[in-house]
Amino acid sequence: MHRDSVARTSGLLVVTFVATFVLLVGGWALIGRLGAGAGGRPSGSVAALPSGGSLPSGGSLVPGAAPSPGATPPIAVDPRASDAPTIVLTGAGDIGDCGSAGSAKTATLLGQETGWFFTAGDNAYPNGSRDDYQRCYDPTWGRYLDRTILPAPGNHDWETKNAAGYRAYFGDRATPNGDTWYSMDAGAWHIVVLDSDCDGAGGCDADSPQGRWLAADLRAHPAFCTMAIWHAPLFSSGLHGNDAGVRPFWEQLAGAHAELVVNGHDHDYERFAPQDPSGHEQRPGGIREIVAGTGGGDLRAFHGTQPNSEFRLAGSWGVLRLTLHPFNYDWEFLPTDGDIADSGSTACR
């Protein structure tokens, strides 16, 4: 009898252990699927990935239809999940200039790329009007409008009142909540698009509508990897130089442990070491900034060298390809007149 009792007790312990293990695994999977969305997403602030896109076994997003108004935002993916996808984003700023052959050349590069596209502002010169978009952007980069899921506005886009040409051309994908800033979950990444034309946008400081939205968005989306795209860089060795007006963006992003900021504005390519908002090199823990104002506008020379500038290239149009893995990202700058000019990889912190 004693042996039978021991056997029954052992069997019950095994069954209890297995059941508990299954429940734990199921709960963890549910938490992973909810991802950042469990934090209380601000209504209407997160753009949906195009509804026609899918995630094949190879990892990269397959292009689909343009985002539809009111589409349900995608659920963030836990980077530890075995099916966490790799996202490819390619783009640049300072693009559609009818007086330059640059945008046609960079559009040819886009046509050879997989994945999705972004812009980093000043999309259509000289004033970002509807006519400028139709004449100077649409024939080149506009061929890939259905794959351009992350447009950003620039100061030239604001030369038209209320950035009306930008709003009309890109539609709800660029203003999902009526504002010129928004965010998107893509794989294990959270991507924020901001508006660095602080006067037009109503401010960039923490107490502005954009600043308050950014704080709420970052709290609601504590993703393992976070990046941001906007036009005017905080740090630049180019013609315009540093733009202190966007430092509040950096301060909030640094507090949220963001990895990467992509800008345009200066018509060159420049990559910085990871830095804090004051421009001090910070390894680990800093944010890397890449300026890629090389989409097609007139090219310009550098004006000195800012601290922590690791790579600079002037005089070449090109696009920046970002490969966003679940735990790290790769960058490659692809000039129109040669092979890859700059590349590397960094782990998310």
Side-chain angles (χ1 to χ4, degrees), residues 236-258:
S236 175
S237 302
L239 174 66
H240 296 294
N242 296 358
D243 188 335
V246 297
R247 182 169 283 114
F249 292 166
W250 266 71
E251 291 169 346
Q252 293 204 51
L253 289 162
H257 308 292

Side-chain angles (χ1 to χ4, degrees), residues 189 259-260 288 323-325 327-331 344-346:
W189 284 72
E259 314 301 329
L260 178 65
R288 183 184 301 283
T323 305
L324 308 179
H325 304 285
F327 293 100
N328 66 292
Y329 66 93
D330 309 327
W331 73 85
S345 183
T346 298

